[in-house]
Amino acid sequence: MTTPQYPQQPYGQQPGYPPQPPKKKSNTIWIVLGVLGLVFLCGIGGCVAILGKAGEEVSKSIDAAASSINSAAPTAPAAPESPGAQVPPLTPGTSTGEGKNIVYEIISDDTELSSVTYFDGNSELQQEAGATAPWTKSVTNTSTIAMIGLGAQTNGTSVTCRITVDGKVEDEQTATGKYAVVNCTAAVF
């Protein structure tokens, strides 16, 4: 007796079942992404168009308002003139000519000062590079309100500044540390 021979089936197939067609990759994800991208771009384009139109309308409104303001005659009645209601114009005070005698001083543990900055007799900022300690500057400030200040930086580790106005020490400060910086100010009216 002979054994019946079954026809050989392709690999992965069960006998008696028809062969399965190969699976196709789904394009659904690409379609969804394409639709979302199109909606996004249309939304951005719509927003730009709306904002552009709104900006144009605002510009027209501003132009119309400006032209109506320029062409309108004043409608408010003029204030009555009263001698006490007028404000005199601002004018600088007159100098007495006396001024403030200011002495600026810098003392340091190193003779080299990186910089010295101070207000001169006209309340203008001045700077001296490469000054040496001890440093002294005398000025007479005749400004209505004198700006008085002094700053210095040392190449050493300790620096002191002092401001004397009309013989009275108004400020004295000391700073320490490598390349120390010190500032002094005085408020004298």
Side-chain angles (χ1 to χ4, degrees):
M1 181 159 127
T2 54
T3 351
Q5 292 290 322
Y6 295 105
Q8 185 161 356
Q9 299 291 323
Y11 180 76
Q13 296 290 319
Q14 296 292 329
Y17 292 105
Q20 298 289 327
K23 289 188 176 182
K24 292 184 179 180
K25 291 186 179 181
S26 174
N27 289 333
T28 307
I29 188 81
W30 293 110
I31 293 170
V32 169
L33 287 174
V35 169
L36 287 174
L38 186 61
V39 168
F40 177 75
L41 289 176
C42 288
I44 295 291
C47 287
V48 168
I50 289 171
L51 289 175
K53 185 67 175 173
E56 184 179 313
E57 293 298 321
V58 167
S59 178
K60 286 179 184 177
S61 297
I62 290 172
D63 289 343
S67 66
S68 69
I69 288 173
N70 290 336
S71 64
T75 57
E81 296 279 336
S82 64
Q86 291 186 0
V87 177
L90 293 175
T91 56
T94 57
S95 173
T96 61
E98 298 171 10
K100 303 286 183 188
N101 293 316
I102 304 164
V103 178
Y104 296 119
E105 297 176 83
I106 302 288
I107 303 165
S108 177
D109 63 340
D110 191 337
T111 58
E112 290 185 44
L113 299 171
S114 297
S115 67
V116 174
T117 306
Y118 64 95
F119 286 100
D120 68 9
N122 296 319
S123 295
E124 292 182 16
L125 199 57
Q126 301 295 324
Q127 186 168 19
E128 289 186 21
T132 57
W135 178 88
T136 302
K137 177 71 83 174
S138 296
V139 297
T140 300
N141 192 316
T142 58
S143 301
T144 304
I145 298 176
M147 294 182 68
I148 304 170
L150 172 65
Q153 180 177 12
T154 183
N155 287 339
T157 58
S158 175
V159 61
T160 299
C161 65
R162 180 182 308 131
I163 297 175
T164 305
V165 179
D166 293 333
K168 179 182 172 195
V169 175
E170 293 292 334
D171 194 13
E172 184 173 328
Q173 302 291 325
T174 299
T176 58
K178 187 148 180 89
Y179 306 114
V181 177
V182 69
N183 291 299
C184 291
T185 58
V188 180
F189 301 100

